[in-house]
Amino acid sequence: MASSGTSKLLKGSFLIMIGNLLFRVGGYIYRVLMTRLLGPEGYGLLGLTLPFQGIFQILAAGGLPPAIAKYVAQHRALNEEEMARQVVVTSLKVMIFLGIAFSLVMFFTAPWLANDFFHKPAAQYPLQAVALITPFSVIVGAFRGAFQGIYRMEYVVITRAVEQVFMITMAVVFVMAGFYAAGAVIGTSMGFLASAISAIIIFRRLINSYFPPAPPEKRLGLREELGLVKTLISFSIPVIITALSEMAIYDISVFVIGYFMATTSVGYYTAADPVARLPLVISMSVATAVLPAASEAFALKDQKLLETYIVQSYRVVTLLVLPMCVGITVFSGPLLELLFGRDFIFGAGALSILVVGMSFYTLFMISSSITQGIGYPRLPMYVLVGGTIINLVLNVALVPILGIEGGALATTLAALIIMIIILWKTTQITGVKLPGMAFIRIATASGVMGGFMMLLPQNIPGLLAAIIFAPLVYGLSILLVGGVERRDVRLIRRLGARMGPLSGAVARMADLMDRWAR
């Protein structure tokens, strides 16, 4: 039974990772194509809409998809399939109402936002087009929560794939048809529409097996259904606050830059932002794994095991993320030129600063997962809310003086502050000390690699040379400074044994590392 549960968990985690990868890759393809088709000014208009897309999707969903997953799984575990169905139906009612309501709010406030707040009349139609997204996105969110609750993660992946394919294709079609930035937003709404249709088709096939209808005597009355709504919303409120605060850490700069500066400046910053977030892909994977691990160790009162999980999480993330951040900082200009075209290299300064902030944010994410896993789920929420306020104040102060670099600096300082706070609280709660010497060794090796990269020409050929040779310089440096431990070598050997034709090369690399490992 335990083996079956573990297999289900591992399969679900793997499929969620695939879904997140599709979402990330699709998002980057979408942005690259839009920058090429729209140019800095058109992409700046689109950039103003992207935060509103996220905000209104979160508000319209009401934080309910995680609640659906939790209560569907809970009721099915108790053989209450009729109540599991009721959770989905009731949530869908609430979310459709919120989706329509927030669509109307977005549509009718868009003229004020475009003309009076941003002072950019051309932003009105793209902002109004955001109203098309929320009704479809909430339907998708509800059914994905249901699929997660019955551990059918493959359907989450399918709906994500449909969303990405249609979003990218239709955005290109509408932009090329002359709808400009509004066409990109309309394409996004078409992606959610297609995804909603696929989710409905899948759910209808599953409904009788997993969600049988309740007999008349078990159907909820109005009072009982309102009680269920209250339960679901009570669970979802912290989810909404955390999601909005996390989004604000990223996107406040876009609003402030849009208020104080020209549309092209928004385009430069919006191009730099997703590149700066690349290191978060690694930290998200580690954060997902460390939460249940820390929870298990804490429940067992095994302090040594807990310390191992925490220290290794910080080490692995820093080991992988810090050199990546150094590389992006050094080659920010060529990287933007390679991805988005030469018109966007004016965002290089902001990218070099912002990626440092994202390195701070990676450690915040790890600490957040640890504190959530050991029973302090609200701590990251409080820290994020405080960080959002700090970020807003710093952006308003720095953007008028330093431009988009000021926005990047404000976000970086806010990320540094919330990282320090959560690291301090994590060490205080767990009694585990930070791996200070490991940080120093990794920083030293990353610095050596950065020095090597600065000797290369700052252009696209130099970037390609750095991609080839910088990992070798970093790997040698980390060995010489003693940054590799024997448990790292054991892990590499285990992974290498599963790599088929590459297993011999990986084994030889592990033998070399073993000579220098501590």
Side-chain angles (χ1 to χ4, degrees):
M1 187 75 174
S3 175
S4 173
T6 303
S7 174
K8 183 189 293 184
L9 182 61
L10 289 174
K11 179 185 176 184
S13 300
F14 175 74
L15 289 170
I16 288 175
M17 184 181 71
I18 295 296
N20 287 335
L21 185 61
L22 282 173
F23 178 73
R24 292 282 174 182
V25 172
Y28 280 110
I29 293 172
Y30 173 83
R31 287 174 181 264
V32 168
L33 291 172
M34 292 304 103
T35 54
R36 300 283 180 172
L37 290 171
L38 295 172
E41 185 170 359
Y43 191 65
L45 293 173
L46 177 61
L48 289 175
T49 74
L50 293 174
F52 286 103
Q53 291 181 34
I55 290 168
F56 278 86
Q57 284 177 43
I58 292 170
L59 291 174
L64 288 173
I68 295 171
K70 169 184 165 58
Y71 288 106
V72 164
Q74 179 177 305
H75 285 301
R76 292 195 72 253
L78 298 172
N79 293 319
E80 297 172 352
E81 281 79 7
E82 298 89 353
M83 274 302 298
R85 177 189 176 116
Q86 188 65 55
V87 166
V88 178
V89 171
T90 299
S91 299
L92 199 54
K93 291 178 185 176
V94 174
M95 292 167 74
I96 289 174
F97 170 78
L98 291 175
I100 293 171
F102 281 111
S103 288
L104 293 173
V105 170
M106 186 69 232
F107 185 83
F108 288 109
T109 57
W112 173 82
L113 286 168
N115 297 300
D116 299 323
F117 184 80
F118 291 124
H119 308 291
K120 296 173 179 60
Q124 178 176 331
Y125 292 136
L127 287 170
Q128 285 182 316
V130 173
L132 297 173
I133 295 174
T134 47
F136 306 131
S137 69
V138 296
I139 294 172
V140 175
F143 287 124
R144 283 178 182 165
F147 300 150
Q148 189 177 353
I150 60 174
Y151 297 96
R152 299 303 298 266
M153 308 303 180
E154 63 269 30
Y155 297 132
V156 175
V157 175
I158 290 171
T159 58
R160 275 195 182 275
V162 170
E163 173 195 323
Q164 293 295 307
V165 169
F166 276 85
M167 179 184 75
I168 294 167
T169 304
M170 298 308 298
V172 170
V173 168
F174 278 107
V175 171
M176 294 185 71
F179 287 88
Y180 201 42
V185 184
I186 295 170
T188 301
S189 69
M190 294 297 100
F192 278 106
L193 171 60
S195 184
I197 293 171
S198 68
I200 292 170
I201 292 171
I202 293 169
F203 187 79
R204 286 178 65 85
R205 291 183 177 181
L206 297 174
I207 193 167
N208 291 327
S209 301
Y210 290 94
F211 303 98
E217 66 273 11
K218 287 189 176 182
R219 291 175 186 169
L220 298 185
L222 179 60
R223 183 187 295 270
E224 291 82 4
E225 190 166 15
L226 289 175
L228 177 58
V229 170
K230 182 179 178 181
T231 299
L232 293 168
I233 291 177
S234 297
F235 178 88
S236 68
I237 286 174
V239 176
I240 297 173
I241 295 172
T242 302
L244 288 176
S245 299
E246 186 173 10
M247 182 172 292
I249 290 291
Y250 299 140
D251 292 331
I252 277 179
S253 296
V254 176
F255 294 135
V256 179
I257 292 169
Y259 181 83
F260 285 111
M261 302 186 70
T263 308
T264 51
S265 297
V266 180
Y268 300 144
Y269 188 88
T270 309
D273 179 63
V275 181
R277 294 194 208 183
L278 276 172
L280 299 184
V281 176
I282 295 171
S283 59
M284 284 178 65
S285 302
V286 177
T288 301
V290 74
L291 192 154
S295 179
E296 177 188 4
F298 190 76
L300 294 172
K301 295 182 171 55
D302 190 332
Q303 182 66 17
K304 186 175 180 180
L305 183 61
L306 180 63
E307 181 175 355
T308 298
Y309 284 144
I310 292 174
V311 169
Q312 282 298 91
S313 296
Y314 288 136
R315 273 193 69 252
V316 168
V317 165
T318 310
L319 196 66
L320 297 174
V321 164
L322 191 57
M324 184 185 297
C325 291
V326 170
I328 293 173
T329 299
V330 174
F331 277 95
S332 56
L335 194 53
L336 287 175
E337 182 180 358
L338 179 66
L339 291 173
F340 305 123
R342 189 161 185 80
D343 290 342
F344 287 88
I345 61 172
F346 296 103
L351 174 56
S352 294
I353 298 169
L354 193 59
V355 75
V356 176
M358 292 302 102
S359 68
F360 298 145
Y361 197 77
T362 57
L363 291 179
F364 170 83
M365 291 179 67
I366 298 302
S367 292
S368 295
S369 286
I370 292 168
T371 54
Q372 288 169 351
I374 61 177
Y376 293 84
R378 293 181 182 269
L379 176 60
M381 179 183 72
Y382 296 142
V383 177
L384 272 173
V385 170
T388 299
I389 297 170
I390 293 168
N391 198 14
L392 176 60
V393 172
L394 289 173
N395 264 279
V396 172
L398 295 177
V399 167
I401 302 171
L402 301 175
I404 63 173
E405 287 80 8
L409 180 59
T411 300
T412 296
L413 291 173
L416 173 62
I417 292 168
I418 65 174
M419 179 199 74
I420 291 172
I421 293 172
I422 198 122
L423 285 176
W424 169 60
K425 290 301 294 182
T426 303
T427 56
Q428 188 181 58
I429 292 168
T430 62
V432 176
K433 294 182 179 179
L434 297 175
M437 284 306 301
F439 288 161
I440 292 172
R441 293 187 180 100
I442 294 167
T444 302
S446 299
V448 171
M449 184 199 75
F452 163 76
M453 295 175 77
M454 291 178 71
L455 298 175
L456 297 172
Q458 298 297 298
N459 51 31
I460 291 178
L463 170 62
L464 298 177
I467 292 172
I468 296 170
F469 295 110
L472 300 176
V473 174
Y474 176 67
L476 182 61
S477 301
I478 202 73
L479 285 173
L480 292 174
V481 299
V484 176
E485 299 181 3
R486 297 204 178 277
R487 53 188 165 187
D488 300 329
V489 178
R490 289 195 295 270
L491 178 61
I492 290 172
R493 290 190 191 280
R494 286 201 297 270
L495 292 174
R498 303 175 185 176
M499 297 180 70
L502 297 176
S503 58
V506 174
R508 287 191 294 273
M509 183 179 72
D511 291 337
L512 176 64
M513 293 173 64
D514 199 24
R515 300 176 187 174
W516 298 87
R518 293 187 301 111

